[in-house]
């Protein structure tokens, strides 16, 4: 195992909004010596929240990367950290970060516990098999309850939380932390801003609780290791702290357990022990499974290992625009190494690129690098065309790694510049931002000629427009936000399509027989099955049929909205030796799509959101009544810290301006969280209403 690689940790910090991710990162920067003063989110001075919009709103919008070094057990460790947003509108930043990280810290508020976005990011981490540790923050806040949060982690997330620490007191009386592994208590010095901390005796009133939880910890660690189990059965006292850490580390890497720590980042307590835990429990690049890809020429599977001697392979996970250096590509190196100025292959596009400069990133600042090696995260400057999800590799050893999947935008808005001279400037800069953010799209409405932008929520589009104004000096008029509807078919239809054109000379001919049916609800896009027997159609014509259906799906037969998904079976076909070509079969597929969909009972789909409202008891009735008017389906009502938590599924179309309504109904005391759940068919009256609004008349199919 490479000694360099064993001393690297690539980690992310993820949580619900306002759980303290950025404050924790700021403390890490301070205690590792990167910053000489602490930046605070509420002051708009956080290093990692470098965008103006982040500083003003007190939220993280874009994932920021940094590198710190930490001394642990007489060794220096390099920790690459990505601080990700907690707001659901920017969930793409979490998604693409988790794709390239080896481990993660899940931060929970000691008062709020497991909140909606906590569940979302936890599932994202599960999907990418990212081992994690938990950090229960804000132990100093009124209502803080460490053990309640542990119960919620177990029940709501289905995890196996293992406390490795317990707090000394809570709320105003939170004074320190007891390390269950070392069986020691610690207190932090306030005058040094928590930089200094010292061992103190374990409080008498906690000794019984410490003994209970420590025995559970040792027992759990022993169960993970046969040798340790024998040791435990023979003499529990013979098990050393190192034994426990090694056993718990293995369980964490295998995702069978999640160590849980606690602290108060804002009050400078517990962060150093969190850094120790990052090194102790989270994997180095050698300990995560090797990544597989496909050779684009041979189509054979290729395995890439974290080894600098192997050919270079990396994944670009983010594109950003810097006002001074231009476009920056963030990438994770999975194998080999890359020198500044070296030529690489973008295997996704097939184009060669010369990477002029390499950088180590610290928030919005860069440190030049001559070389970047396997297991590391860095940034490239001076390339022509690299997009999010592209594979960068050695031209001599091409490989395409699995790309990233991003959610579809659910809200859209028309925008136009205030002056005609800015039309071109607007399109150029919107295209730049769409390149940076895969969940943001731009298109021109063919009927009206308007520029339509689409994103994940009202806040998402607000930030986009704010960036246009501040970064590019572009003032825009904006339309009312509207729902990004989708279409689907609800019945199975078999259709024959003959495409024939003759205008002297070579004609056009294509004949296909297809079956169109609703796709599996979990499937997104086109599910295409080729069932041609006996070589009735050449392969290039079959691919042309598929391409024709893919293109046609962007424009449904009801109101021109894209189809969410579609299953197509190509049953049979015929061609002419002279008149048939790929264009003919694409055209036949497009015609078949329009004709068959009209007979397959097309439906309009609307985005349904998962809403969580936290309100004092007094206002629950009014808020529930309002939800019923909005076509909301109340799924659950829970009591939490003297408040009621209402969980509802509600169509996005009914939620515009909800913040004002909720404020009025609750005298400003209720809060809410909204995130995308799924697409569902609209009721007939709603669909008719949408048709009238768009077309001015009912559409019959």
């Amino acid at each position: 195992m490479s000694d360099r690689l064993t001393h690297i940790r690539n980690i992310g910090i993820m949580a619900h909004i306002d759980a303290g991710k950025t404050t924790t990162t700021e403390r890490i920067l301070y205690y590792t010596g990167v910053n000489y003063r602490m930046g605070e989110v509420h002051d708009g001075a956080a290093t990692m929240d470098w965008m103006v919009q982040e500083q003003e709103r007190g939220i993280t919008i874009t994932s920021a990367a940094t590198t710190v070094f930490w001394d642990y057990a007489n060794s220096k460790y390099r920790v690459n950290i990505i601080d990700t947003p907690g707001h659901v509108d920017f969930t793409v930043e979490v998604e693409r970060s988790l794709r390239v990280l080896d481990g993660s810290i899940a931060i929970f508020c000691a008062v709020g516990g497991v909140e909606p976005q906590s569940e979302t990011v936890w599932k994202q981490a599960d999907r990418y098999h990212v081992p994690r540790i938990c950090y229960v923050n804000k132990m100093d806040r009124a209502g803080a309850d460490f053990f309640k949060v542990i119960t919620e982690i177990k029940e709501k997330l289905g995890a196996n939380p293992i406390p490795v620490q317990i707090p000394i007191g809570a709320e105003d009386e939170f004074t320190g932390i007891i390390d269950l592994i070392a069986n020691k208590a610690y207190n932090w010095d306030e005058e040094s801003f928590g930089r200094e901390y010292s061992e103190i005796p374990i409080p008498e009133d906690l000794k019984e609780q410490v003994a209970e939880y420590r025995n559970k910890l040792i027992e759990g660690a022993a169960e993970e290791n046969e040798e340790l189990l024998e040791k435990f059965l023979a003499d529990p006292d013979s098990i050393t702290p190192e034994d426990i850490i090694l056993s718990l580390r293995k369980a964490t890497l295998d995702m069978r357990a999640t160590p849980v720590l606690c602290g108060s980042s804002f009050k400078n307590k517990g962060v150093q022990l969190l850094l120790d835990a990052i090194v102790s429990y989270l994997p180095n690049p050698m300990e995560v499974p090797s990544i597989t890809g496909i050779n684009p020429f041979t189509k054979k599977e290729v395995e890439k290992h974290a080894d600098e001697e192997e050919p270079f392979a990396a994944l670009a996970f983010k594109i950003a625009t810097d006002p001074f250096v231009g476009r920056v590509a963030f990438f994770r190196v999975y194998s080999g190494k890359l020198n500044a100025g070296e030529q690489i292959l973008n295997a996704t596009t097939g184009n060669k690129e010369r990477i002029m400069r390499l950088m180590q990133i610290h928030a919005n600042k860069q440190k030049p690098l001559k070389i970047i090696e396997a297991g590391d995260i860095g940034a490239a400057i001076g390339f022509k065309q690299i997009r999010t999800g592209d594979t960068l590799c050695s031209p001599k050893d091409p490989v395409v790694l699995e790309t990233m999947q991003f959610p579809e935008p659910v809200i859209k808005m028309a925008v136009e510049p205030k002056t005609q001279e800015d039309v071109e400037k607007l399109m150029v800069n919107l295209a730049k931002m769409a390149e940076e953010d895969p969940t943001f799209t731009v298109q021109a409405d063919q009927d009206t000629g308007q520029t339509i932008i689409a994103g994940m929520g009202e806040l998402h589009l607000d930030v986009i427009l704010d960036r246009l104004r501040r970064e590019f000096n572009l003032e825009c008029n904006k339309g009312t936000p509207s729902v990004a509807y989708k279409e689907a078919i609800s019945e199975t239809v078999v259709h024959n399509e003959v495409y024939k054109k003759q205008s002297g000379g070579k004609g056009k001919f294509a004949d296909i027989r297809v079956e169109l049916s609703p796709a599996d609800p979990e499937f997104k896009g086109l599910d295409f099955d080729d069932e041609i027997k006996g070589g009735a159609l050449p392969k290039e014509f079959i691919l042309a049929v598929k391409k024709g259906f893919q293109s046609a799906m962007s424009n449904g037969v009801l109101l021109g909205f894209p189809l969410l998904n579609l299953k197509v079976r190509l049953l049979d076909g015929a061609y002419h030796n002279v008149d048939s070509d790929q264009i003919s079969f694409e055209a036949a597929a497009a015609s078949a799509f329009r004709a068959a969909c009209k007979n397959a009972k097309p439906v309009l789909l609307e985005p349904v959101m998962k809403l969580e409202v936290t309100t004092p008891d007094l206002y629950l009735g009014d808020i529930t009544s309002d939800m019923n008017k909005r076509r909301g389906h109340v799924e659950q009502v829970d009591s939490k810290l003297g408040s009621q938590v209402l969980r509802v599924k509600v169509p996005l179309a009914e939620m515009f301006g909800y913040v004002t309504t909720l404020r009025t109904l609750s005298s400003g005391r209720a809060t809410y969280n909204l995130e995308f759940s799924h697409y569902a068919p609209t009721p007939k009256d709603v669909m008719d209403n949408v048709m009238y609004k768009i077309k001015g008349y009912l559409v019959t199919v």
Side-chain angles (χ1 to χ4, degrees):
M1 185 183 283
S2 164
D3 189 56
R4 183 187 70 86
L5 288 169
T6 62
H7 288 74
I8 290 178
R9 300 290 184 272
N10 293 313
I11 67 152
I13 300 181
M14 60 185 204
H16 185 86
I17 190 169
D18 208 29
K21 295 180 305 302
T22 302
T23 301
T24 302
T25 310
E26 292 298 320
R27 297 307 184 266
I28 288 173
L29 295 176
Y30 180 69
Y31 297 132
T32 55
V34 174
N35 284 359
Y36 296 102
R37 62 178 291 273
M38 291 188 222
E40 302 294 3
V41 175
H42 59 270
D43 293 337
T47 306
M48 302 299 276
D49 283 352
W50 55 270
M51 290 173 69
V52 176
Q53 293 83 357
E54 295 178 313
Q55 293 167 358
E56 287 183 354
R57 298 164 191 259
I59 61 170
T60 303
I61 291 170
T62 182
S63 52
T66 191
T67 298
V68 302
F69 293 89
W70 184 244
D71 292 324
Y72 177 74
N74 300 317
S75 293
K76 189 181 281 291
Y77 289 83
R78 177 193 182 106
V79 184
N80 297 317
I81 302 172
I82 297 181
D83 175 27
T84 60
H87 199 287
V88 66
D89 282 18
F90 310 105
T91 190
V92 62
E93 295 288 343
V94 184
E95 188 84 21
R96 59 182 167 192
S97 300
L98 287 170
R99 171 70 173 79
V100 297
L101 293 172
D102 299 331
S104 179
I105 305 168
I107 298 184
F108 300 92
C109 172
V111 182
V114 176
E115 296 173 278
Q117 188 64 2
S118 312
E119 295 182 56
T120 302
V121 295
W122 192 273
K123 286 172 186 169
Q124 287 172 309
D126 279 342
R127 188 160 66 249
Y128 290 113
H129 305 288
V130 177
R132 66 218 78 149
I133 58 178
C134 295
Y135 175 61
V136 180
N137 190 24
K138 302 192 177 185
M139 282 303 307
D140 59 306
R141 288 267 306 275
D145 189 335
F146 176 72
F147 299 102
K148 187 170 181 287
V149 178
I150 286 175
T151 303
E152 287 191 7
I153 293 171
K154 193 171 186 174
E155 292 176 354
K156 290 187 177 180
L157 303 177
N160 178 23
I162 308 277
V164 295
Q165 299 173 352
I166 61 171
I168 302 172
E171 304 180 347
D172 291 342
E173 294 177 5
F174 174 64
T175 57
I177 289 165
I178 298 168
D179 182 338
L180 295 173
I181 296 174
N183 204 21
K184 293 176 180 176
Y186 298 100
N187 195 341
W188 274 259
D189 176 42
E190 291 185 12
E191 285 188 13
S192 69
F193 299 103
R195 188 181 282 280
E196 305 295 329
Y197 65 102
S198 54
E199 188 182 334
I200 59 170
I202 295 173
E204 284 296 326
D205 61 329
L206 289 176
K207 282 186 175 178
E208 195 175 315
Q209 190 181 35
V210 169
E212 181 194 342
Y213 276 92
R214 192 166 190 272
N215 283 338
K216 283 182 182 175
L217 175 63
I218 294 170
E219 206 172 308
E223 284 173 1
E224 294 291 334
N225 185 315
E226 280 188 28
E227 194 179 317
L228 207 60
L229 185 60
E230 288 176 17
K231 209 171 174 182
F232 175 76
L233 294 170
D235 179 12
D237 294 334
S238 66
I239 294 177
T240 65
E242 289 73 24
D243 290 335
I244 300 170
I245 289 171
L246 281 172
S247 180
L248 194 51
R249 177 181 180 83
K250 188 175 184 309
T252 305
L253 299 191
D254 293 342
M255 295 181 64
R256 294 194 310 275
T258 309
V260 186
L261 298 89
C262 61
S264 169
S265 299
F266 183 61
K267 292 292 177 69
N268 312 314
K269 294 174 182 170
V271 177
Q272 293 96 332
L273 298 183
L274 177 62
L275 279 160
D276 290 348
I278 290 168
V279 174
S280 298
Y281 303 117
L282 293 180
N284 64 56
M286 299 285 287
E287 292 173 311
V288 295
S290 55
I291 194 165
T292 56
I294 302 291
N295 184 310
F297 301 110
T298 64
K299 305 301 179 188
K300 288 184 178 175
E301 195 170 274
V302 180
E303 201 167 281
K304 292 290 179 183
H305 306 92
D307 183 348
E308 47 263 48
E309 299 305 318
E310 282 196 11
F312 172 71
L315 185 75
F317 66 93
K318 178 175 177 173
I319 306 297
T321 303
D322 186 281
F324 302 104
V325 299
R327 291 168 70 242
V328 181
F330 293 75
F331 61 95
R332 159 72 191 267
V333 184
Y334 285 100
S335 67
K337 54 192 174 190
L338 177 67
N339 295 291
E342 195 174 335
Q343 191 181 62
I344 56 150
L345 173 71
N346 182 338
T348 309
T349 62
N351 300 325
K352 287 185 179 177
E353 294 271 5
R354 190 168 297 281
I355 304 299
M356 301 310 295
R357 292 162 66 194
L358 293 173
M359 296 287 180
Q360 183 190 99
I361 301 294
H362 174 51
N364 64 333
K365 299 179 179 68
Q366 301 94 22
K367 178 185 171 185
L369 294 173
K370 290 181 180 178
I371 188 170
I372 185 165
E373 298 176 303
D376 230 331
I377 290 173
I381 296 167
F383 52 88
K384 290 178 184 173
Q385 193 183 17
I386 297 174
R387 298 165 305 182
T388 299
D390 284 359
T391 300
L392 313 177
C393 61
S394 164
K396 294 177 182 176
D397 194 70
V399 63
V400 178
L401 303 175
E402 184 188 351
T403 191
M404 291 173 269
Q405 303 298 316
F406 300 110
E408 295 269 337
V410 295
I411 187 171
K412 59 183 184 175
M413 179 192 292
V415 292
E416 62 179 26
K418 287 192 174 178
T419 60
Q420 194 60 31
E421 301 88 74
D422 285 340
V423 170
E424 192 176 337
K425 186 180 173 185
L426 175 68
M427 293 307 294
V428 168
N429 289 307
L430 283 174
K432 275 184 188 174
M433 286 193 275
E435 190 178 35
E436 292 176 18
D437 182 353
T439 60
F440 171 67
T441 62
V442 185
Q443 64 181 69
D445 189 297
Q446 293 179 346
D447 296 330
T448 64
Q450 288 178 307
T451 301
I452 307 295
I453 61 173
M456 299 307 296
E458 289 181 89
L459 177 61
H460 189 188
L461 297 186
D462 272 353
V463 168
I464 293 285
L465 293 172
D466 197 41
R467 285 187 64 194
L468 281 174
R469 182 172 61 84
R470 293 178 191 260
E471 293 174 31
F472 306 108
N473 199 26
L474 267 168
E475 295 286 347
C476 291
N477 295 319
K478 61 178 185 179
T480 307
S482 61
V483 175
Y485 291 100
K486 301 280 187 189
E487 294 183 21
I489 60 172
S490 56
E491 288 188 356
T492 300
V493 172
V494 175
H495 180 80
N496 275 81
E497 185 70 36
V498 179
Y499 179 76
K500 191 186 286 185
K501 280 192 177 178
Q502 202 70 48
S503 55
K506 187 183 174 187
K508 298 282 184 188
F509 178 81
D511 182 357
I512 56 172
R513 180 175 172 82
V514 290
E515 180 192 270
L516 273 67
S517 59
D520 187 288
E522 298 298 312
F523 193 89
K524 300 291 186 288
L526 176 65
D527 183 3
F528 185 84
D529 285 343
D530 164 25
E531 296 187 8
I532 294 285
K533 302 282 194 297
L537 287 179
K539 193 172 180 180
E540 62 268 26
F541 292 169
I542 294 170
L543 290 173
V545 173
K546 183 179 180 180
K547 187 180 174 184
F549 274 105
Q550 277 173 330
S551 301
M553 281 178 67
S554 62
N555 202 355
V557 297
L558 265 180
L559 292 167
F561 292 111
L563 264 73
L564 182 68
N565 54 30
L566 180 67
K567 184 173 176 65
V568 176
R569 292 169 63 211
L570 180 57
L571 304 173
D572 202 359
Y575 68 102
H576 190 276
N577 285 328
V578 177
D579 292 347
S580 292
D581 57 15
Q582 287 169 271
I583 294 171
S584 301
F585 278 89
E586 274 187 48
S591 298
F593 170 84
R594 286 190 294 273
C597 283
K598 285 179 181 177
N599 296 322
K601 290 199 175 172
V603 292
L604 190 67
L605 303 177
E606 63 181 351
V608 176
M609 311 303 282
K610 190 162 62 175
L611 172 73
E612 186 168 291
V613 181
T614 304
T615 174
D617 295 356
L618 179 65
Y619 310 109
L620 181 64
D622 290 342
I623 291 169
T624 305
S625 175
D626 179 66
M627 268 300 115
N628 292 332
K629 292 173 189 171
R630 295 173 184 269
R631 298 192 283 128
H633 173 65
V634 178
E635 294 191 321
Q636 199 176 341
V637 181
D638 295 321
S639 293
K640 191 173 185 178
L641 298 171
S643 296
Q644 297 295 323
V645 180
L646 194 69
R647 292 184 174 86
V648 188
K649 292 281 176 65
V650 58
L652 176 63
E654 308 292 340
M655 291 303 293
F656 292 117
Y658 183 64
V659 63
T660 307
T661 305
L662 185 64
R663 204 177 286 140
T664 305
L665 290 173
S666 67
S667 302
R669 294 175 66 190
T671 59
Y672 79 100
N673 185 83
L674 192 68
E675 64 178 281
F676 174 74
S677 173
H678 63 282
Y679 274 93
T682 55
K684 178 75 168 60
D685 60 325
V686 175
M687 187 168 85
D688 289 349
N689 192 32
V690 174
M691 286 180 178
Y692 272 121
K693 279 182 181 175
I694 294 174
K695 297 286 189 183
Y697 55 87
L698 274 180
V699 179
T700 54
V701 289

